[in-house]
Amino acid sequence: MARWNRYVVGADSLGRSAVLSTEPDPSSVQSKEGYYWRATLWATEEMPPDNSIEGDRSVGIARREPAPGGMLYRALEIPPDRADVEEHKSELTALNKQVEQKYAPTEADLARHPSMHRTDTLDCITCVIGEIYLVTDVDEVKMVPGDSVVIRGTNHAWSNRSDRPALLVGTMIDATQA
C-alpha cells in the first residue's frame, strides 16, 4: 500500500502561516496488507472546528466514526477485491471489531459485499486514484478519479474490481439519524 503525505498548515510562534506537520502520525494509520490502508488525516471533537486547539488532532484515532459532534478526514486505499470471499469477510469482521463498528453487518449485507457497513455520519468522499464500485443495498456505481459521493448514514461498501489499488479521500461528519 502506498503512503501519502499530509501537510498541516497553522500559525507559527509569530502568528505567520507555516507548515507545522508533513505526514500522518503513525498511530492514525491502520492497515492490513491486501485488504485496506487508511489514515486519519485530521479529526475534531466539535463543530464548528476550533483552530485554536494545539497539536495533531489525528493522533491515535482508530475508531470508524468521529467523536459525537466531531469530524474525521481520511484517506483510504483499497486494493482489488479478494478472490476468497470468506477470508475477505473474516478480515473485515476483525476490522469492524477493532474500529468499534456501531452496526454489525447482517448476513444479507455481507452477501452483498464483505465490506458492507453503516455509520451515523454524513460522508463526503472523492475517488482520487483508480476505480472503485460504490455498493448500496440496491445499486452499484463505478467511481473514477474526480467522482464524489455523499453518503447520508446508510449501508454502503467499496468493491475494487480492477487490478490496481484505489484511493478515496473524504470527510465523515457526525450526524443525527431519523
Side-chain angles (χ1 to χ4, degrees):
M1 298 286 177
R3 302 299 177 253
W4 305 98
N5 292 325
R6 175 207 63 174
Y7 302 98
V8 177
V9 175
D12 68 9
S13 61
L14 299 175
R16 302 171 302 184
S17 65
V19 175
L20 304 177
S21 175
T22 60
E23 59 187 43
D25 184 273
S27 71
S28 71
V29 175
Q30 295 169 304
S31 66
K32 175 76 176 185
E33 190 66 36
Y35 293 93
Y36 59 89
W37 177 91
R38 87 174 185 192
T40 300
L41 304 173
W42 200 251
T44 69
E45 296 183 4
E46 73 287 333
M47 281 292 177
D50 182 349
N51 282 335
S52 70
I53 297 174
E54 302 263 336
D56 187 340
R57 304 216 40 210
S58 67
V59 173
I61 304 291
R63 64 188 177 273
R64 177 160 299 195
E65 296 192 39
M71 173 280 301
L72 294 174
Y73 175 49
R74 285 206 166 118
L76 174 63
E77 188 174 275
I78 302 173
D81 285 353
R82 305 294 292 197
D84 185 335
V85 175
E86 291 306 313
E87 181 183 5
H88 199 166
K89 286 180 190 177
S90 175
E91 288 296 335
L92 294 181
T93 297
L95 172 65
N96 285 342
K97 288 178 184 167
Q98 178 186 351
V99 299
E100 302 171 26
Q101 177 67 38
K102 187 174 181 179
Y103 304 103
T106 67
E107 286 303 317
D109 292 338
L110 295 175
R112 184 92 170 109
H113 193 272
S115 71
M116 188 66 84
H117 65 285
R118 179 171 77 87
T119 58
D120 288 337
T121 56
L122 173 66
D123 303 350
C124 302
I125 300 170
T126 299
C127 179
V128 178
I129 296 173
E131 61 183 51
I132 196 146
Y133 284 81
L134 166 66
V135 179
T136 70
D137 289 336
V138 297
D139 298 307
E140 294 185 1
V141 178
K142 181 180 177 181
M143 294 178 62
V144 296
D147 289 348
S148 296
V149 61
V150 176
I151 303 169
R152 299 172 58 201
T154 59
N155 261 356
H156 62 283
W158 303 108
S159 178
N160 185 340
R161 300 170 190 168
S162 76
D163 61 355
R164 293 191 175 106
L167 177 66
L168 304 173
V169 176
T171 301
M172 300 174 68
I173 302 167
D174 185 39
T176 57
Q177 302 295 323

